[in-house]
């Protein structure tokens, strides 16, 4: 896509970002060449070199040249690979693991990977949507006392897809490592949108997805801090990806991933996007005081605003904006496209009524001042109509 089609404005980057022009070029070029990276001839060797080049680029982009990276079909597969009760961690005394996670995770994590339900526990989040660090310490202390022979994989997202709220990953990893447990971070919403230093943050495993950062659909990665961490493969067969993910590598998509990483590194858009989002929210608060912005005072992803207008359901608001040429989403949409209640807002103690009105406006690398202005004007016109309607209703109540 790259250019907005039909003058529409795309504000649903957290679902999937518009593909970058350079990615389209790289993928198109690669698709013309037969590319099985296990083949020994020139084409095969070129495909292998492209994959290894992407692996290197990715490792450097997170400041961890020693990272062990497994390319997968999606972040969902990467999460499934990481959340393994029989994962091997060289040098660790644990040979089996439990899972501790939070109620605000993406459904790919909440499904628990390969853990059984009874092996999964939850750490509390505060009403701000941020992990309760005291509860985390308390639960890990209890695990260490009750099951000293078992390890714990703690899976906590970097940023929430519905609200953009960022978790204090460094503080979390400091707590986790006191017990020699492992931290898995679902960094799908963060990678390629903000700078992520895996080593400094103390992340042991990280799941990523190319399509959230302007890369192609259908490719993700599990990044392990080193090859000392080895999950049990989900797919067995040809032994590709160091035996951790059999199946011919999707080398064309991986080339696209590589191009997307390059684009982000060459033109980081973060500061500008954050300024635009803040100005947009300030203007909303000033001119539409009844609009609620979720997590307003939290540290959030640069391009995410989660908000509710008074008296209008999220689905009606979404449809009205869609008719005005603006694509947004409701906080939580299941795969069938039906709107379900948001488990994220529920965990933040946001009541069902407010939750049913929340939409998500998420921008990214192509989002401009003009896009935010048009979104603001559209919201304002809907807001004014709603106010007008409620004034008429008030008057008619008085006449009755
Ligand atoms: N984790 C988060 C936070 C997400 O937002 C998503 C996608 O929406 C996923 C995981 C799953 O990613 P994928 O579509 O690559 O499976």
């Amino acid at each position: 896509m790259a250019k907005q089609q039909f003058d529409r404005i795309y504000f649903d980057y957290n679902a999937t970002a518009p593909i970058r022009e350079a990615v389209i070029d790289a993928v198109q070029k690669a698709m013309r060449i037969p590319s099985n990276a296990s083949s020994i001839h020139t084409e095969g060797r070129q495909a292998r070199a492209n994959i290894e080049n992407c692996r290197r680029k990715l490792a450097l982009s997170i400041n961890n040249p020693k990272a062990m990276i497994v390319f997968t079909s999606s972040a969902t597969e990467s999460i499934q690979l990481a959340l393994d009760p029989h994962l091997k961690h060289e040098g660790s005394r644990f040979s089996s693991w439990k899972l501790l996670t939070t109620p605000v995770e993406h459904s790919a994590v909440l499904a628990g990977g390969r853990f059984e339900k009874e092996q999964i526990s939850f750490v509390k989040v505060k009403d701000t949507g941020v992990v309760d660090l005291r509860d985390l310490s308390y639960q890990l202390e209890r695990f260490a006392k009750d099951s000293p022979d078992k390890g714990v994989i703690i899976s906590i997202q970097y940023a929430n897809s519905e609200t953009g709220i960022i978790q204090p990953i460094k503080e979390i990893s400091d707590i986790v490592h006191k017990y020699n447990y492992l931290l898995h971070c679902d960094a799908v919403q963060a990678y390629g949108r903000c700078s992520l230093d895996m080593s400094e943050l103390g992340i042991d495993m990280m799941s990523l997805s190319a399509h959230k950062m302007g890369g192609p659909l259908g490719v993700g990665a599990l990044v392990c801090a080193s090859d000392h961490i080895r999950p049990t493969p989900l797919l067995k067969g040809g032994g590709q990806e160091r035996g951790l993910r059999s199946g011919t590598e999707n080398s064309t998509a991986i080339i696209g991933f590589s191009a997307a990483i390059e684009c982000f590194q060459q033109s980081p858009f973060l500061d500008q996007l954050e300024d635009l989002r803040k100005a947009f929210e300030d203007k909303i608060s000033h001119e539409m005081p009844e609009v609620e912005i979720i997590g307003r005072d939290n540290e959030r992803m640069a391009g995410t605003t989660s908000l509710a207008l008074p008296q209008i359901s999220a689905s009606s608001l979404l449809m009205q904006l869609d008719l005005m040429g603006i694509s947004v989403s409701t906080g939580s949409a299941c795969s069938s496209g039906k709107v379900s209640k948001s488990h994220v807002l529920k965990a933040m103690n946001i009541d069902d009524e407010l939750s049913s009105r929340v939409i998500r406006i998420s921008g990214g690398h192509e989002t401009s001042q003009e896009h935010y202005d048009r979104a603001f004007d559209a919201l304002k016109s809907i807001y004014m109509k709603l106010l007008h309607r409620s004034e008429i209703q008030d008057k008619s109540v008085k006449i009755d």
Side-chain angles (χ1 to χ4, degrees), residues 171-199:
E171 287 171 74
I172 290 169
S173 74
D174 285 347
I175 297 171
V176 167
H177 292 146
K178 270 195 217 158
Y179 299 88
N180 296 318
Y181 294 154
L182 288 175
L183 176 64
H184 168 257
C185 181
D186 171 354
V188 167
Q189 292 294 340
Y191 182 67
R193 295 175 173 191
C194 64
S195 58
L196 261 185
D197 187 323
M198 187 178 189
S199 313

Short mmCIF file of all heavy atoms in Angstrom, two decimals, residues 171-199:
data_model
loop_
_atom_site.label_atom_id
_atom_site.label_comp_id
_atom_site.label_asym_id
_atom_site.label_seq_id
_atom_site.Cartn_x
_atom_site.Cartn_y
_atom_site.Cartn_z
N GLU A 171 12.66 -3.25 35.45
CA GLU A 171 12.40 -3.55 36.87
C GLU A 171 11.89 -4.98 37.03
O GLU A 171 12.24 -5.69 37.97
CB GLU A 171 11.36 -2.58 37.44
CG GLU A 171 11.91 -1.19 37.65
CD GLU A 171 10.79 -0.21 37.98
OE1 GLU A 171 10.28 -0.26 39.11
OE2 GLU A 171 10.43 0.60 37.10
N ILE A 172 11.08 -5.40 36.07
CA ILE A 172 10.54 -6.77 36.11
C ILE A 172 11.67 -7.78 35.97
O ILE A 172 11.77 -8.74 36.73
CB ILE A 172 9.47 -6.96 35.00
CG1 ILE A 172 8.22 -6.14 35.34
CG2 ILE A 172 9.12 -8.44 34.80
CD1 ILE A 172 7.19 -6.02 34.23
N SER A 173 12.58 -7.53 35.02
CA SER A 173 13.65 -8.52 34.80
C SER A 173 14.58 -8.57 36.01
O SER A 173 15.09 -9.63 36.37
CB SER A 173 14.41 -8.25 33.51
OG SER A 173 15.25 -7.14 33.64
N ASP A 174 14.80 -7.44 36.68
CA ASP A 174 15.64 -7.46 37.89
C ASP A 174 15.03 -8.39 38.94
O ASP A 174 15.74 -9.15 39.59
CB ASP A 174 15.78 -6.04 38.47
CG ASP A 174 16.73 -5.19 37.64
OD1 ASP A 174 17.45 -5.76 36.79
OD2 ASP A 174 16.74 -3.96 37.82
N ILE A 175 13.72 -8.32 39.09
CA ILE A 175 13.04 -9.17 40.09
C ILE A 175 13.14 -10.64 39.65
O ILE A 175 13.50 -11.52 40.42
CB ILE A 175 11.56 -8.74 40.26
CG1 ILE A 175 11.50 -7.31 40.79
CG2 ILE A 175 10.81 -9.71 41.18
CD1 ILE A 175 10.11 -6.69 40.81
N VAL A 176 12.82 -10.89 38.37
CA VAL A 176 12.80 -12.26 37.84
C VAL A 176 14.17 -12.94 38.00
O VAL A 176 14.26 -14.10 38.41
CB VAL A 176 12.39 -12.22 36.34
CG1 VAL A 176 12.65 -13.55 35.65
CG2 VAL A 176 10.92 -11.82 36.21
N HIS A 177 15.23 -12.19 37.74
CA HIS A 177 16.57 -12.80 37.75
C HIS A 177 17.12 -13.05 39.15
O HIS A 177 18.06 -13.82 39.31
CB HIS A 177 17.53 -11.97 36.89
CG HIS A 177 17.15 -12.04 35.43
ND1 HIS A 177 17.31 -11.01 34.55
CD2 HIS A 177 16.57 -13.05 34.72
CE1 HIS A 177 16.86 -11.37 33.35
NE2 HIS A 177 16.41 -12.60 33.44
N LYS A 178 16.52 -12.42 40.16
CA LYS A 178 16.92 -12.74 41.55
C LYS A 178 16.70 -14.22 41.83
O LYS A 178 17.33 -14.81 42.68
CB LYS A 178 16.04 -11.94 42.52
CG LYS A 178 16.57 -10.60 42.88
CD LYS A 178 15.82 -10.09 44.10
CE LYS A 178 15.62 -8.61 43.98
NZ LYS A 178 14.53 -8.10 44.77
N TYR A 179 15.73 -14.79 41.11
CA TYR A 179 15.36 -16.20 41.36
C TYR A 179 15.91 -17.12 40.26
O TYR A 179 15.55 -18.29 40.22
CB TYR A 179 13.83 -16.32 41.43
CG TYR A 179 13.23 -15.49 42.55
CD1 TYR A 179 12.88 -14.17 42.34
CD2 TYR A 179 13.06 -16.04 43.81
CE1 TYR A 179 12.36 -13.39 43.36
CE2 TYR A 179 12.54 -15.28 44.85
CZ TYR A 179 12.19 -13.95 44.61
OH TYR A 179 11.68 -13.19 45.64
N ASN A 180 16.69 -16.58 39.37
CA ASN A 180 17.20 -17.33 38.20
C ASN A 180 16.07 -17.86 37.32
O ASN A 180 16.22 -18.91 36.68
CB ASN A 180 18.12 -18.47 38.62
CG ASN A 180 19.37 -17.95 39.30
OD1 ASN A 180 19.93 -16.96 38.84
ND2 ASN A 180 19.74 -18.56 40.40
N TYR A 181 14.96 -17.18 37.33
CA TYR A 181 13.87 -17.54 36.43
C TYR A 181 14.08 -16.85 35.08
O TYR A 181 15.02 -16.06 34.92
CB TYR A 181 12.52 -17.13 37.04
CG TYR A 181 12.14 -17.88 38.30
CD1 TYR A 181 11.28 -17.30 39.24
CD2 TYR A 181 12.61 -19.17 38.55
CE1 TYR A 181 10.91 -17.98 40.40
CE2 TYR A 181 12.24 -19.86 39.70
CZ TYR A 181 11.39 -19.26 40.62
OH TYR A 181 11.03 -19.93 41.75
N LEU A 182 13.20 -17.13 34.13
CA LEU A 182 13.37 -16.58 32.78
C LEU A 182 12.25 -15.60 32.43
O LEU A 182 11.07 -15.87 32.73
CB LEU A 182 13.35 -17.71 31.75
CG LEU A 182 14.57 -18.63 31.70
CD1 LEU A 182 14.32 -19.77 30.70
CD2 LEU A 182 15.82 -17.86 31.29
N LEU A 183 12.62 -14.52 31.78
CA LEU A 183 11.61 -13.54 31.35
C LEU A 183 11.40 -13.63 29.84
O LEU A 183 12.33 -13.43 29.05
CB LEU A 183 12.06 -12.11 31.71
CG LEU A 183 11.12 -11.00 31.23
CD1 LEU A 183 9.74 -11.10 31.89
CD2 LEU A 183 11.72 -9.63 31.49
N HIS A 184 10.15 -13.95 29.46
CA HIS A 184 9.76 -13.88 28.05
C HIS A 184 8.97 -12.59 27.87
O HIS A 184 8.07 -12.28 28.67
CB HIS A 184 8.88 -15.08 27.66
CG HIS A 184 8.22 -14.89 26.32
ND1 HIS A 184 6.89 -14.54 26.19
CD2 HIS A 184 8.72 -14.96 25.06
CE1 HIS A 184 6.60 -14.43 24.90
NE2 HIS A 184 7.69 -14.68 24.20
N CYS A 185 9.30 -11.84 26.82
CA CYS A 185 8.60 -10.57 26.59
C CYS A 185 7.94 -10.60 25.21
O CYS A 185 8.61 -10.80 24.20
CB CYS A 185 9.61 -9.43 26.68
SG CYS A 185 8.85 -7.82 26.45
N ASP A 186 6.64 -10.40 25.20
CA ASP A 186 5.91 -10.24 23.94
C ASP A 186 6.12 -8.78 23.53
O ASP A 186 5.48 -7.86 24.05
CB ASP A 186 4.43 -10.55 24.19
CG ASP A 186 3.55 -10.20 23.01
OD1 ASP A 186 4.06 -9.61 22.05
OD2 ASP A 186 2.33 -10.50 23.07
N ALA A 187 7.07 -8.59 22.61
CA ALA A 187 7.43 -7.23 22.21
C ALA A 187 6.85 -6.88 20.84
O ALA A 187 7.38 -6.01 20.14
CB ALA A 187 8.95 -7.09 22.20
N VAL A 188 5.76 -7.56 20.49
CA VAL A 188 5.16 -7.39 19.16
C VAL A 188 4.80 -5.93 18.86
O VAL A 188 5.03 -5.44 17.76
CB VAL A 188 3.92 -8.31 19.04
CG1 VAL A 188 3.08 -7.96 17.84
CG2 VAL A 188 4.35 -9.76 18.99
N GLN A 189 4.25 -5.23 19.85
CA GLN A 189 3.82 -3.85 19.59
C GLN A 189 4.98 -2.86 19.68
O GLN A 189 4.80 -1.70 19.32
CB GLN A 189 2.70 -3.45 20.57
CG GLN A 189 1.40 -4.18 20.35
CD GLN A 189 0.75 -3.84 19.00
OE1 GLN A 189 1.05 -2.80 18.39
NE2 GLN A 189 -0.13 -4.70 18.53
N ALA A 190 6.10 -3.32 20.17
CA ALA A 190 7.20 -2.38 20.41
C ALA A 190 8.31 -2.47 19.37
O ALA A 190 8.87 -1.45 18.95
CB ALA A 190 7.78 -2.63 21.80
N TYR A 191 8.60 -3.69 18.91
CA TYR A 191 9.76 -3.84 18.02
C TYR A 191 9.52 -3.14 16.68
O TYR A 191 8.48 -3.33 16.04
CB TYR A 191 10.10 -5.32 17.78
CG TYR A 191 11.32 -5.44 16.91
CD1 TYR A 191 12.56 -5.03 17.37
CD2 TYR A 191 11.21 -5.88 15.59
CE1 TYR A 191 13.68 -5.07 16.56
CE2 TYR A 191 12.34 -5.92 14.77
CZ TYR A 191 13.57 -5.50 15.27
OH TYR A 191 14.67 -5.53 14.46
N GLY A 192 10.48 -2.34 16.31
CA GLY A 192 10.35 -1.58 15.05
C GLY A 192 9.52 -0.33 15.22
O GLY A 192 9.21 0.36 14.25
N ARG A 193 9.16 -0.03 16.46
CA ARG A 193 8.40 1.19 16.73
C ARG A 193 9.06 2.01 17.82
O ARG A 193 8.76 3.17 17.99
CB ARG A 193 6.98 0.83 17.18
CG ARG A 193 6.19 0.12 16.10
CD ARG A 193 4.88 -0.31 16.63
NE ARG A 193 4.04 -0.84 15.58
CZ ARG A 193 2.77 -1.09 15.75
NH1 ARG A 193 2.19 -0.85 16.90
NH2 ARG A 193 2.06 -1.59 14.76
N CYS A 194 9.89 1.35 18.62
CA CYS A 194 10.69 2.11 19.58
C CYS A 194 12.00 1.35 19.73
O CYS A 194 12.10 0.20 19.31
CB CYS A 194 9.97 2.27 20.91
SG CYS A 194 9.67 0.76 21.79
N SER A 195 13.00 2.01 20.32
CA SER A 195 14.28 1.30 20.42
C SER A 195 14.20 0.31 21.57
O SER A 195 13.70 0.63 22.65
CB SER A 195 15.43 2.28 20.59
OG SER A 195 15.20 3.04 21.74
N LEU A 196 14.67 -0.89 21.31
CA LEU A 196 14.56 -1.99 22.28
C LEU A 196 15.95 -2.57 22.49
O LEU A 196 16.51 -3.14 21.56
CB LEU A 196 13.69 -3.09 21.69
CG LEU A 196 12.24 -3.20 22.08
CD1 LEU A 196 11.63 -4.44 21.46
CD2 LEU A 196 12.07 -3.24 23.57
N ASP A 197 16.49 -2.43 23.67
CA ASP A 197 17.81 -2.99 23.95
C ASP A 197 17.60 -4.22 24.83
O ASP A 197 17.40 -4.12 26.04
CB ASP A 197 18.66 -1.93 24.67
CG ASP A 197 20.09 -2.37 24.84
OD1 ASP A 197 20.31 -3.57 25.09
OD2 ASP A 197 20.99 -1.51 24.72
N MET A 198 17.65 -5.38 24.18
CA MET A 198 17.32 -6.63 24.88
C MET A 198 18.26 -6.87 26.05
O MET A 198 17.84 -7.31 27.13
CB MET A 198 17.43 -7.78 23.88
CG MET A 198 16.95 -9.09 24.42
SD MET A 198 17.07 -10.36 23.16
CE MET A 198 16.20 -11.70 23.95
N SER A 199 19.56 -6.57 25.86
CA SER A 199 20.53 -6.84 26.92
C SER A 199 20.28 -5.91 28.10
O SER A 199 20.22 -6.35 29.25
CB SER A 199 21.95 -6.64 26.40
OG SER A 199 22.08 -7.30 25.17
#
